[in-house]
Amino acid sequence: MESSSPKNGQARRAASADAFGDSSAFPNEGVSSARPPPPPWKRGNGNSSRPLRRLRGLTENQKQLDQRSSSPRKRSTSNQAELTKTLLWKEIEARKNSDARRFFSPDKRTHSVQRSLLVISPKLPLTVIIDEDTGDISCDWDPSETNVRELLSSTTGSHVEHEPFPPEKIMLVGEPVVRRRSDLRCFCPSEAQQIELEQHLRTHFQVVPVFLPSNRDHFADQVLYPLFHYSLPSVETGLRVHDWEGYELINGKFRDVVLKEYTLGDFVWINDYPLMLLPKLLRKERVDMTIGFYIHCVFPSSEVYRILPQREQLLRGILSANVIGFHNVQYMRRFLTTCTRILGLECTMSGGKSGIEACEDAGGTYTRVIAVPLGINLQPGRCDVTEEKQGYISQLEETFAGKKIIVAVDRLEAKGGIPHKMMAFHKFLQKEPSWAARCVFVQSVTPVEEADTDLDVGEQQRLLYQIYQMVGEVNSKFGTIGHLPVHFLCQRFRRTQLEVLFAKANAMLDTPLRDLLSRSAHEFLSLQHEEQCGVLILSEFSGSAPSLRAAALVVNPWDTNGFADAIQEALEMEVQDRLELHHYGHRYVSNNTLQQWAASFLEELQTAATDCETERLHIPPRLDHEQCVQAMRKASRRLIVLGYCGTLLPQDAQINPQVAQGLPPTTMANLQVLCNDPTTKVVVVTGFDRYTMAKAVGSLHCWVIAEGGFCFSEPGCKNWHTVEQRDTEWMGPVKEIMQYFAARTPGSRVVESEAAVAWQYNKTQGDHAAIQSKELLIHLWAGPLLCAPAEINVEQESVVVRASGVSLALQLERMLHELCCEEGSDRPMSWMHGEAFVLCIGDFTLRNEDVFVTTQKFFDPETWERKVPKSPNLASPSFGSPNLGPQLKDLLEVESILSTKPAFHRSDTEKFARQESAEDGLGSLKKNASAPTGMLLKIPSEPDIVTLERGISASSRRSEVRSAGASPRHLRSPDIFNCTMTRKVTRAAHYLCGASDVAFLLAKLARELRQVGKEAKLQEGAGPSRIITTAVAD
């Protein structure tokens, strides 16, 4: 999974192995052993290979199957049916296990069913060699590749907070490297061979192979990889010459394999840029899946990335993951900036947390973006001096006696910067000719692997000839009969030879033009001895530079003079200075190993499974007016929260502060009825200024929150209360930047209030203003708002910057305490003893949809006492797979299957269903809710899927207290209806179709309220006996 040139094809593992001393590029032939076989995850340690039994002769059916490989339609139909069947039974088994955990496992950490970890990589760390003449097959682990299962199984320490995965629960998924024994060339096995290989790899190595069509990975190798390393692609990229369809096909193949292996509750860990579409493909099928994505590659700046014609598809693909990992913070910030510049997403880059706000582009979840640095695998005893190493040490000291040794180890790639090293060393000797006889530069380069046709041999040969010329020039000018300053070695070395060279080097040059991880630098720092430590010279363009800057001399490879000076400084550095650099570098490399990287990323993924579920969005059902009216009718206390523009008025209504547009007379009359009822409290929330709202709804007996929560007014009071003034020094610079963009965007304007500054572009034409708004976000985040107490709210056709701590949700929460809580209490106890009704309707932005969460949490007694769990609840199933189709009814019958077990009681099952229904929908979206969240059942990409909540009335939901000490048993939450406007992904539980639909609902509520008032008067006129009789009858 390390970053390397894709033009090596499958040989890049062998090149990397040879560069670091693997004497055998490929596994030997099979060796039998009388000892019992080790566990599957430990078989094949790199020293011996396990032979596969000879392939049996092909039967006639297999031959026909192999001949029909050109008929993808039949295979795709059978594969789809098999996938549907697999998903169905896995879902049923998951529900059985989840219910068993719910009813009989008080300690989930001890008794819960162990989940699995699926690690998906483009290539498996496994090499398969087939002898086509005899049919013998041998396969073994590739020691040069990263084996996540081995890394996690060797991780020790108490820093892991979550329950670790045992090796047998870690499944590796990827394409195996298959070679012919005759010439070691990679080839695609036949369909019959694929069946045999899959069975063997699953049984003996516990891996799931993915067999891909040949010659369809050009987009990742020839477009993405060069572009990510700042090598611009050819003009043919826009003409799909490099097979974008093939890239989609490969990601689709991986999706099908992963869905067959996935079981509810499993974690999915996806690696590297060839699979950037896979997270979104999986999210469409399983909305409840926990996905992590790590990019083992340099991530470019937004100016370079935006060259890609498919830039948006790739970004949306990986944004569907819960966690996205990068090697360092620099790559992470580039990614966030790219998401803002290209997709216009809101990013957070402060307070130690970075991520993308929950939105449709982000797959409906809050996506965490983190930096987890890679490292090297430090094997125990690697620094011990063996007899073999002692021989190499003696040979090295004899050959270069009395000379300073400068070492560089690279692959033969243009991004390695080998010519730049030669130029810098040449310049150093020109400045200091006396060093020509006192030092030697040993440059080791891994040669071209001729067995692989995927290599661009012509390009590498040209690079090799250029290096030969430069080496010859230096040696001809500064060499003598008995000494050559440069030793250029294009050959393979044993690992022990390179370890000795690293340990005895006085200076190490690791100066790539672009690279993810400076592996040679890490090897050098880990093998150096304190008494004879050397100095590392590192490129500032390496991904390791931010971490190892304090342990090395950082140079610009293009600055030949500065590079030459750094070589001289390294050779002449004092002992104390060398020790200071060595101590920091050795400590960093020892603490940041590959084992630590794997454990840290898995820990982040497990944490995200808890945190990100609270932010998941979904597409809710439409609100049933009759249910809402019935709930209001039987309620004795009522609260109605309404938005203004987009709710009471159409979204495209033009609001002029000087001539405020009034509400329609019918709507005003219905609102007047609701506001005048003594048991009903009406609150209007909006981002408009107080003067506009005073003219629009000032005649209503209601509460109004205006200017995004900065001010509010009480019924019958003309005075406005404002939030305490805070630091507003940021408003001046923000206004200047917005005015700069307003002057360059015709039709836009800047609107300023006491606590906010807004740039509005609703009167502009075309998409120029939308593009400018993304640039505006970059300028604001990187400029005046970098450390200012303010936040940005991206609304429809406007960008608003307001003071931190000012929002509609916060102001509404303060108002609810005032309206619903008794004096001296912070809980609405009077609303929890009888029937109560809460209705919240608004066309809010995602950030302002916290209003829905506030209304839900405020009246939920379960959120008063409980604490947030450390592990996610995986008991609630999801029926979100569009592949299930008509078989979904089988899943809905699982409850009846489970209820037939003697261990389960029907009453317990019904109680469980009621508790689950109370947690679904908006209940699972509470930001600070302590209860484990239920899985969302609605998929944005599949709106017609039937959900478990069908037929369950929203008004019948009750938050039952599950712990004896949480709150009194008689408390009951009100009937809460949170509604957004139009059908979209949201935190709300329902949606309405528009302002006209809202007006129709308000008319029904007002009519029902009049009817309730008439019935109350009739009961008062009937006398006490009539009331008593009615009560007894009830």
Side-chain angles (χ1 to χ4, degrees):
M1 296 186 295
E2 294 296 333
S3 175
S4 59
S5 174
K7 295 182 176 158
N8 312 32
Q10 282 80 355
R12 57 189 179 193
R13 273 170 294 279
S16 177
D18 294 327
F20 296 102
D22 185 14
S23 58
S24 176
F26 309 108
N28 301 324
E29 298 186 14
V31 179
S32 61
S33 176
R35 292 179 297 177
W41 58 91
K42 291 189 176 181
R43 292 174 185 163
N45 57 5
N47 299 325
S48 63
S49 60
R50 181 179 181 86
L52 177 66
R53 65 181 182 275
R54 182 172 302 179
L55 286 176
R56 63 176 182 266
L58 298 180
T59 63
E60 292 299 326
N61 293 337
Q62 289 174 335
K63 291 181 180 179
Q64 295 177 5
L65 181 64
D66 195 18
Q67 293 172 357
R68 290 199 304 266
S69 59
S70 60
S71 178
R73 180 175 301 176
K74 295 182 180 179
R75 290 203 317 274
S76 61
T77 303
S78 61
N79 291 341
Q80 187 70 15
E82 182 182 356
L83 178 61
T84 302
K85 182 178 179 181
T86 302
L87 287 174
L88 178 64
W89 283 109
K90 282 181 176 290
E91 196 74 50
I92 294 175
E93 291 298 326
R95 285 212 65 182
K96 294 179 182 178
N97 294 333
S98 63
D99 286 342
R101 290 199 303 270
R102 266 300 180 88
F103 291 123
F104 302 106
S105 297
D107 185 0
K108 294 183 180 179
R109 185 179 181 88
T110 305
H111 301 91
S112 63
V113 178
Q114 180 66 50
R115 294 162 292 180
S116 299
L117 173 65
L118 303 179
V119 182
I120 298 97
S121 305
K123 299 291 181 183
L124 284 173
L126 195 70
T127 302
V128 179
I129 298 181
I130 298 180
D131 191 332
E132 294 184 321
D133 296 332
T134 63
D136 289 338
I137 297 181
S138 61
C139 41
D140 201 358
W141 299 111
D142 190 339
S144 65
E145 280 297 306
T146 303
N147 188 335
V148 174
R149 181 194 295 146
E150 181 182 354
L151 295 175
L152 293 176
S153 62
S154 62
T155 301
T156 59
S158 59
H159 64 280
V160 179
E161 297 181 3
H162 295 275
E163 186 176 358
F165 286 91
E168 64 272 13
K169 287 295 183 178
I170 302 177
M171 184 69 70
L172 305 182
V173 181
E175 183 185 18
V177 180
V178 184
R179 298 178 181 273
R180 295 188 182 94
R181 186 175 297 279
S182 57
D183 54 5
L184 295 180
R185 290 178 179 269
C186 296
F187 77 102
C188 183
S190 65
E191 192 163 344
Q193 290 175 326
Q194 291 178 10
I195 296 174
E196 291 286 338
L197 282 176
E198 180 176 359
Q199 181 181 1
H200 178 79
L201 293 177
R202 283 177 176 269
T203 303
H204 296 90
F205 291 87
Q206 199 176 350
V207 299
V208 181
V210 181
F211 298 102
L212 303 175
S214 58
N215 299 323
R216 299 305 301 270
D217 57 350
H218 300 307
F219 185 83
D221 291 348
Q222 300 180 21
V223 178
L224 287 183
Y225 185 87
L227 182 70
F228 282 11
H229 288 81
Y230 290 81
S231 178
L232 303 185
S234 65
V235 68
E236 297 174 346
T237 303
L239 303 177
R240 296 181 179 270
V241 174
H242 290 300
D243 202 2
W244 167 253
E245 291 85 358
Y247 188 83
E248 294 178 313
L249 174 64
I250 289 175
N251 281 261
K253 290 280 188 180
F254 272 91
R255 173 202 57 197
D256 296 339
V257 173
V258 173
L259 290 177
K260 289 181 181 179
E261 302 300 322
Y262 177 80
T263 303
L264 181 67
D266 291 348
F267 290 88
V268 178
W269 178 347
I270 305 173
N271 291 285
D272 230 349
Y273 59 91
L275 302 177
M276 293 178 71
L277 298 179
L278 184 56
K280 185 173 183 179
L281 296 178
L282 293 176
R283 184 70 68 196
K284 286 183 177 180
E285 305 291 337
R286 297 300 298 263
V287 70
D288 59 328
M289 187 179 291
T290 302
I291 304 174
F293 188 89
Y294 193 91
I295 299 183
H296 298 256
C297 187
V298 177
F299 195 85
S301 65
S302 59
E303 290 298 329
V304 175
Y305 179 84
R306 66 193 301 184
I307 295 175
L308 278 173
Q310 300 84 7
R311 55 193 181 185
E312 294 186 6
Q313 295 96 309
L314 294 173
L315 284 181
R316 291 191 175 98
I318 59 178
L319 282 175
S320 293
N322 300 91
V323 179
I324 303 175
F326 294 90
H327 175 59
N328 58 36
V329 178
Q330 186 180 25
Y331 299 158
M332 181 187 74
R333 290 186 176 273
R334 289 177 185 172
F335 175 77
L336 292 173
T337 303
T338 301
C339 291
T340 301
R341 188 182 298 272
I342 294 178
L343 298 179
L345 301 180
E346 295 186 62
C347 306
T348 57
M349 292 182 287
S350 61
K353 295 183 179 180
S354 300
I356 307 294
E357 294 291 338
C359 61
E360 188 172 6
D361 285 330
T365 66
Y366 175 80
T367 303
R368 298 181 61 187
V369 183
I370 60 175
V372 184
L374 286 161
I376 61 174
N377 191 2
L378 298 180
Q379 298 292 344
R382 63 199 312 269
C383 295
D384 298 342
V385 180
T386 62
E387 183 178 351
E388 182 183 11
K389 284 187 179 180
Q390 187 59 49
Y392 290 137
I393 292 175
S394 301
Q395 181 181 358
L396 190 65
E397 291 177 347
E398 181 181 353
T399 304
F400 301 127
K403 296 181 177 62
K404 299 280 189 178
I405 302 176
I406 305 173
V407 175
V409 178
D410 298 281
R411 295 186 296 268
L412 190 59
E413 297 175 334
K415 70 183 183 68
I418 301 176
H420 299 74
K421 299 176 188 178
M422 294 298 172
M423 293 178 61
F425 187 71
H426 191 179
K427 177 63 69 174
F428 162 63
L429 295 182
Q430 286 180 339
K431 290 184 176 181
E432 299 291 336
S434 61
W435 274 105
R438 293 187 292 152
C439 72
V440 59
F441 178 26
V442 180
Q443 172 70 67
S444 171
V445 174
T446 303
V448 176
E449 177 56 53
E450 298 179 356
D452 290 277
T453 57
D454 291 340
L455 295 172
D456 191 349
V457 180
E459 180 181 347
Q460 299 200 31
Q461 287 296 330
R462 287 190 293 270
L463 176 62
L464 191 60
Y465 294 152
Q466 180 186 7
I467 297 173
Y468 283 153
Q469 293 178 353
M470 301 177 73
V471 171
E473 183 179 359
V474 174
N475 287 334
S476 63
K477 287 185 179 180
F478 301 99
T480 61
I481 296 297
H483 172 66
L484 295 177
V486 179
H487 287 238
F488 181 73
L489 306 173
C490 186
Q491 56 184 278
R492 305 196 197 298
F493 286 93
R494 298 180 63 85
R495 185 175 188 84
T496 52
Q497 291 177 302
L498 288 178
E499 289 178 353
V500 170
L501 197 59
F502 286 141
K504 294 299 180 181
N506 300 103
M508 173 73 194
L509 305 185
D510 195 333
T511 55
L513 305 183
R514 295 283 174 185
D515 203 3
L516 176 72
L517 176 70
S518 294
R519 179 179 289 274
S520 298
H522 284 247
E523 295 278 353
F524 171 78
L525 292 172
S526 65
L527 293 169
Q528 283 275 297
H529 298 286
E530 183 174 349
E531 57 274 9
Q532 296 178 347
C533 60
V535 179
L536 172 64
I537 300 177
L538 188 63
S539 169
E540 66 181 54
F541 301 111
S542 168
S544 300
S547 303
L548 297 178
R549 186 175 294 273
L553 301 178
V554 180
V555 300
N556 180 359
W558 302 93
D559 183 6
T560 305
N561 291 321
F563 198 168
D565 294 339
I567 296 176
Q568 181 180 356
E569 182 181 356
L571 296 178
E572 299 175 354
M573 184 175 292
E574 297 293 335
V575 176
Q576 188 61 34
D577 295 335
R578 286 191 279 116
L579 284 175
E580 185 177 352
L581 296 178
H582 169 75
H583 287 160
Y584 178 86
H586 189 272
R587 183 171 59 253
Y588 176 84
V589 172
S590 301
N591 294 336
N592 295 271
T593 61
L594 268 181
Q595 290 86 350
Q596 177 64 29
W597 163 78
S600 299
F601 187 77
L602 180 58
E603 178 76 10
E604 294 287 350
L605 181 59
Q606 291 174 308
T607 303
T610 302
D611 297 342
C612 295
E613 283 297 329
T614 62
E615 292 290 337
R616 188 179 300 283
L617 307 181
H618 70 147
I619 294 182
R622 184 176 177 180
L623 176 66
D624 188 342
H625 288 199
E626 296 305 320
Q627 289 184 357
C628 185
V629 172
Q630 291 176 10
M632 192 207 70
R633 177 182 179 83
K634 64 182 180 181
S636 58
R637 296 174 182 270
R638 307 175 185 91
L639 172 68
I640 301 177
V641 181
L642 301 171
Y644 187 65
C645 188
T647 306
L648 298 177
L649 283 178
Q651 182 64 51
D652 56 355
Q654 300 295 326
I655 305 298
N656 190 336
Q658 278 69 34
V659 184
Q661 178 176 345
L663 296 175
T666 305
T667 303
M668 283 292 294
N670 293 326
L671 284 175
Q672 196 72 47
V673 173
L674 297 174
C675 294
N676 293 337
D677 182 70
T679 62
T680 304
K681 304 180 186 299
V682 179
V683 182
V684 178
V685 296
T686 180
F688 289 148
D689 62 89
R690 67 191 75 174
Y691 309 107
T692 301
M693 297 308 300
K695 295 179 181 179
V697 296
S699 60
L700 297 176
H701 189 77
C702 65
W703 285 260
V704 181
I705 300 177
E707 298 182 11
F710 179 71
C711 59
F712 69 94
S713 67
E714 299 177 356
C717 180
K718 296 184 179 180
N719 297 327
W720 289 81
H721 307 280
T722 60
V723 177
E724 181 182 357
Q725 289 287 346
R726 300 171 180 242
D727 180 18
T728 58
E729 294 182 359
W730 52 268
M731 296 186 66
V734 168
K735 184 178 179 180
E736 291 180 4
I737 294 177
M738 288 186 173
Q739 288 176 341
Y740 172 86
F741 279 87
R744 287 155 179 79
T745 309
S748 65
R749 65 185 185 275
V750 178
V751 179
E752 183 180 8
S753 62
E754 292 186 28
V757 184
W759 183 64
Q760 301 177 354
Y761 54 93
N762 55 333
K763 296 183 178 180
T764 59
Q765 297 181 355
D767 59 351
H768 174 65
I771 298 175
Q772 290 290 86
S773 67
K774 301 172 185 177
E775 296 292 333
L776 174 61
L777 294 177
I778 299 296
H779 282 75
L780 292 176
W781 275 321
L785 300 185
L786 187 60
C787 299
E791 58 186 18
I792 301 176
N793 190 13
V794 180
E795 300 179 356
Q796 186 173 3
E797 298 182 337
S798 68
V799 177
V800 183
V801 181
R802 58 171 56 96
S804 300
V806 176
S807 69
L808 293 175
L810 290 175
Q811 191 61 261
L812 177 62
E813 185 174 6
R814 299 188 189 103
M815 186 170 289
L816 290 179
H817 278 91
E818 211 173 306
L819 297 178
C820 305
C821 297
E822 298 177 356
E823 187 175 356
S825 174
D826 60 348
R827 298 174 182 175
M829 302 301 297
S830 59
W831 289 64
M832 314 303 291
H833 295 280
E835 296 291 347
F837 169 79
V838 178
L839 174 64
C840 181
I841 308 175
D843 187 18
F844 303 120
T845 62
L846 281 174
R847 184 181 294 272
N848 284 332
E849 279 194 353
D850 289 348
V851 170
F852 298 139
V853 181
T854 298
T855 56
Q856 183 77 25
K857 287 174 53 181
F858 187 80
F859 296 100
D860 187 358
E862 290 191 352
T863 64
W864 296 348
E865 297 291 343
R866 296 179 307 176
K867 297 181 180 180
V868 178
K870 290 186 178 181
S871 60
N873 176 23
L874 300 172
S876 299
S878 170
F879 306 123
S881 177
N883 285 338
L884 296 181
Q887 288 87 352
L888 187 62
K889 60 183 180 182
D890 297 333
L891 295 181
L892 298 179
E893 296 173 0
V894 173
E895 183 181 1
S896 61
I897 297 175
L898 297 178
S899 62
T900 60
K901 291 188 176 183
F904 292 91
H905 299 283
R906 187 64 183 174
S907 58
D908 292 334
T909 306
E910 292 174 350
K911 180 179 180 181
F912 165 72
R914 290 196 302 269
Q915 292 171 347
E916 284 300 301
S917 64
E919 290 179 356
D920 289 334
L922 182 66
S924 63
L925 306 172
K926 304 169 188 175
K927 286 190 172 179
N928 299 319
S930 55
T933 56
M935 300 299 179
L936 291 175
L937 307 177
K938 203 70 171 176
I939 299 180
S941 61
E942 194 70 12
D944 297 329
I945 291 294
V946 182
T947 68
L948 187 64
E949 291 191 71
R950 173 168 292 187
I952 298 178
S953 170
S955 62
S956 65
R957 297 183 181 181
R958 293 290 183 269
S959 299
E960 299 186 6
V961 181
R962 303 179 193 175
S963 57
S967 58
R969 285 279 182 176
H970 61 275
L971 295 185
R972 293 193 305 171
S973 298
D975 295 320
I976 303 176
F977 298 85
N978 287 315
C979 305
T980 187
M981 305 304 297
T982 70
R983 189 175 185 274
K984 60 185 178 182
V985 289
T986 177
R987 293 187 178 98
H990 304 88
Y991 79 93
L992 293 171
C993 293
S996 59
D997 199 8
V998 174
F1000 190 39
L1001 176 62
L1002 293 178
K1004 290 183 177 180
L1005 296 177
R1007 182 184 61 186
E1008 192 66 28
L1009 204 57
R1010 294 190 189 98
Q1011 184 66 24
V1012 170
K1014 293 179 181 179
E1015 292 178 358
K1017 291 181 179 179
L1018 291 177
Q1019 288 184 354
E1020 291 178 0
S1025 60
R1026 175 60 178 169
I1027 298 178
I1028 294 175
T1029 303
T1030 304
V1032 172
D1034 291 340

